[in-house]
Amino acid sequence: MKMINHSTTLLSVAQVAQTLGLHSDTIRRWEKKGLIKSRRDQHNYRVFSVEEVQRVHQQQLNQQIQHFEVLRALTGTHFRSIELFAGAGGLALGFENAGFEHSLLVEIDKTATQTLALNRPQWPIVCADISQVDFEEYQADVVTGGFPCQAFSYAGHRLGFEDTRGTLFFEFARCIAQTQPKIIVGENVRGLLNHDDGKTLKTMLGVLDELGYDTSYRVLRAQYFDVPQKRERLVIIGLRKDFSGDFAFPKEQSYIVPLRSALHQISDSEGVKYTEKKKKIMEQIPEGGYWRDLPDHLQREYMGASYFHGGGKTGMARRLSWDEPSLTLTCNPAQKQTERCHPSETRPLNVREYARIQSFPDDWQFSGSVNAQYKQIGNAVPVNLAFHIGRCVRAMLEEQLNAETMEIIERTSAQKMLKTESLASMQNVVLNSQTVQSKLFE
């Protein structure tokens, strides 16, 4: 490795290639696969930090396979959480592993709630339409939820809480208004950042401010949080205005977990199968390859009209690689647009492999048909990613932030208030929330 000029804080693709003694195409391929982290400069070019180049170089020297495990805190707490849109329990289990107890989990899908009850019969689970749940009787330090991304009707004006009625975000906000937790955690797809030209996220943050919460958000990349999968999630954290302290998000790790480690000694299980015709196609795809690795006549036959369209379509006829994290899991591993073929066997990933890649423990069972199990797993928050988020939330509640493992974001001077001002402000917030609540069931 050549000496790095530390006066240059960001390096181009060519500079990274020269530093590591590799071809520029290799750096681009690594970046696309998530093996090296980049950002975009003001000219929209890929650039890399000196620290990232040093990390990758050290990884080249070590050549170590990171051991996969489901992460758990050594000690528990008495902090309690309410989980909305709980699904098969990925976020809830990650928070439990971080030391939290649950006051309530709400999920409308009967099969998913059967999964929750099967694995954690002691959890207080409500299977219902969230709009029919009254949260007044519940108390919690934290409210979490992965609400769907839905557009609002703006009618040319800035929206408040009441204007979001009819969306699932409204129900998330209603729970917050009724329970007044110290911290809130919202989880969503990265696309929320630009949904409706950013108006959707801006509206949500405005509503949370109206309910008495300062907010911050980050896009977290699961492959850097002990998850053997490339999956990006937008995480919003809200701190109640009278709650002292700063925001904390988990810092990305200096390693990734490849499939070779994640699927080591995994038990066989049920899974979908390929048709004979598709199996013959997939048999010709090498490890880590996709449809462009087929002979041209088979590319045309398999892709049809898509062969002539633009875009890489890299998910089609895709076989995963043992030495990388999986691509993002969807609700079905054999969909044509998002193929998830086993690295060395010609078949889709099975249910237990899906669960391991989402960092569920091997004893976590899923209810329903095979297709229902795939759907529950594919829609879940990876358990280890949830653990890292939960550990930060716990640290904020305990006021024990760790700068080595956490990105600490100071609240702005406008957000910081003296305790007396905080209490006065929160009296107004509570009154405002009570006014909001009085409208909820009109």
Side-chain angles (χ1 to χ4, degrees):
M1 178 176 175
K2 297 187 177 182
M3 292 295 294
I4 295 177
N5 180 3
H6 284 267
S7 63
T8 304
T9 56
L10 296 175
L11 305 177
S12 67
V13 171
Q15 288 171 319
V16 173
Q18 183 180 28
T19 299
L20 297 179
L22 299 170
H23 195 279
S24 294
D25 288 344
T26 301
I27 303 303
R28 293 189 184 94
R29 187 169 65 252
W30 283 6
E31 191 271 339
K32 191 171 186 179
K33 291 180 177 180
L35 302 178
I36 185 170
K37 294 173 277 187
S38 71
R39 66 187 74 168
R40 297 279 180 169
D41 65 9
Q42 65 269 31
H43 305 295
N44 205 34
Y45 291 121
R46 291 186 184 90
V47 291
F48 305 81
S49 70
V50 170
E51 293 77 15
E52 176 65 1
V53 175
Q54 290 173 330
R55 178 190 71 80
V56 172
H57 175 62
Q58 191 61 44
Q59 197 171 54
Q60 284 181 305
L61 294 177
N62 293 341
Q63 290 296 302
Q64 293 179 346
I65 294 176
Q66 180 65 28
H67 173 67
F68 170 76
E69 62 178 324
V70 179
L71 304 176
R72 294 178 177 86
L74 296 176
T75 60
T77 73
H78 294 296
F79 296 129
R80 304 191 67 82
S81 71
I82 291 175
E83 166 97 14
L84 309 179
F85 318 108
L91 189 60
L93 180 57
F95 266 66
E96 178 186 84
N97 289 347
F100 285 82
E101 300 175 359
H102 295 302
S103 298
L104 175 68
L105 295 92
V106 181
E107 172 56 46
I108 192 172
D109 185 86
K110 291 182 179 179
T111 307
T113 54
Q114 289 168 1
T115 292
L116 295 173
L118 175 66
N119 293 279
R120 290 293 186 272
Q122 73 274 22
W123 281 359
I125 304 161
V126 171
C127 181
D129 182 333
I130 192 172
S131 66
Q132 303 305 308
V133 179
D134 184 358
F135 298 101
E136 296 250 359
E137 63 183 278
Y138 298 99
Q139 292 184 332
D141 302 285
V142 184
V143 167
T144 69
F147 47 85
C149 186
Q150 296 171 283
F152 303 116
S153 298
Y154 294 92
H157 63 276
R158 180 183 179 277
L159 297 188
F161 174 76
E162 276 295 309
D163 301 299
T164 65
R165 185 185 291 273
T167 68
L168 291 176
F169 172 75
F170 172 84
E171 303 303 337
F172 177 71
R174 180 174 66 84
C175 176
I176 294 167
Q178 291 184 330
T179 60
Q180 289 290 303
K182 296 181 180 73
I183 299 178
I184 57 178
V185 179
E187 180 271 338
N188 215 295
V189 296
R190 180 193 178 101
L192 178 58
L193 283 172
N194 301 313
H195 189 263
D196 202 5
D197 295 325
K199 293 179 183 176
T200 303
L201 179 59
K202 183 178 180 181
T203 297
M204 291 175 174
L205 299 182
V207 168
L208 296 176
D209 178 68
E210 178 185 339
L211 294 179
Y213 291 83
D214 298 326
T215 54
S216 186
Y217 57 88
R218 287 291 184 272
V219 173
L220 301 183
R221 298 185 285 186
Q223 68 263 36
Y224 299 109
F225 295 106
D226 297 278
V227 178
Q229 180 188 179
K230 301 165 188 173
R231 190 182 190 101
E232 295 184 327
R233 304 302 292 181
L234 176 67
V235 175
I236 303 168
I237 292 179
L239 303 181
R240 206 171 65 193
K241 291 183 187 291
D242 68 332
F243 178 78
S244 61
D246 296 320
F247 297 96
F249 289 86
K251 275 186 180 178
E252 293 186 344
Q253 309 294 316
S254 62
Y255 56 81
I256 57 175
V257 181
L259 282 182
R260 189 182 307 280
S261 174
L263 300 185
H264 181 60
Q265 295 184 337
I266 191 168
S267 301
D268 193 18
S269 73
E270 292 183 297
V272 295
K273 308 295 183 184
Y274 288 139
T275 63
E276 281 302 314
K277 181 178 180 180
K278 189 169 186 180
K279 185 175 181 180
K280 289 179 180 179
I281 290 289
M282 295 305 299
E283 283 175 342
Q284 301 188 57
I285 303 293
E287 180 186 336
Y290 67 120
W291 67 274
R292 287 197 180 278
D293 292 298
L294 295 168
D296 186 68
H297 72 283
L298 288 180
Q299 289 183 28
R300 293 170 182 267
E301 177 185 333
Y302 184 76
M303 300 296 289
S306 296
Y307 176 86
F308 302 98
H309 296 163
K313 300 177 283 291
T314 57
M316 301 183 75
R318 183 64 178 262
R319 186 186 288 274
L320 300 174
S321 171
W322 280 120
D323 297 323
E324 301 172 20
S326 169
L327 300 179
T328 303
L329 297 188
T330 63
C331 293
N332 186 326
Q335 295 181 105
K336 188 171 183 179
Q337 299 289 336
T338 53
E339 195 72 57
R340 300 295 180 259
C341 182
H342 188 277
S344 54
E345 300 176 27
T346 303
R347 60 171 177 79
L349 294 172
N350 63 36
V351 168
R352 286 318 324 170
E353 289 164 343
Y354 239 53
R356 186 78 76 83
I357 291 170
Q358 282 279 59
S359 56
F360 279 99
D362 290 344
D363 61 359
W364 194 268
Q365 301 299 311
F366 299 89
S367 297
S369 66
V370 169
N371 286 336
Q373 293 178 51
Y374 276 123
K375 182 179 179 181
Q376 291 173 66
I377 300 168
N379 282 333
V381 178
V383 176
N384 278 350
L385 175 61
F387 168 84
H388 281 282
I389 297 168
R391 187 172 64 167
C392 287
V393 173
R394 174 176 174 173
M396 286 185 278
L397 289 168
E398 293 176 336
E399 298 184 6
Q400 295 181 357
L401 304 186
N402 185 339
E404 291 186 6
T405 61
M406 301 172 189
E407 179 191 2
I408 301 171
I409 303 167
E410 290 189 10
R411 292 162 97 167
T412 65
S413 56
Q415 290 173 331
K416 288 182 176 179
M417 298 181 290
L418 294 174
K419 281 193 173 181
T420 53
E421 294 173 334
S422 263
L423 292 172
S425 174
M426 279 310 300
Q427 287 175 354
N428 291 330
V429 167
V430 170
L431 289 172
N432 183 46
S433 294
Q434 290 171 346
T435 302
V436 167
Q437 291 173 40
S438 68
K439 300 178 182 179
L440 292 177
F441 300 104
E442 291 178 352

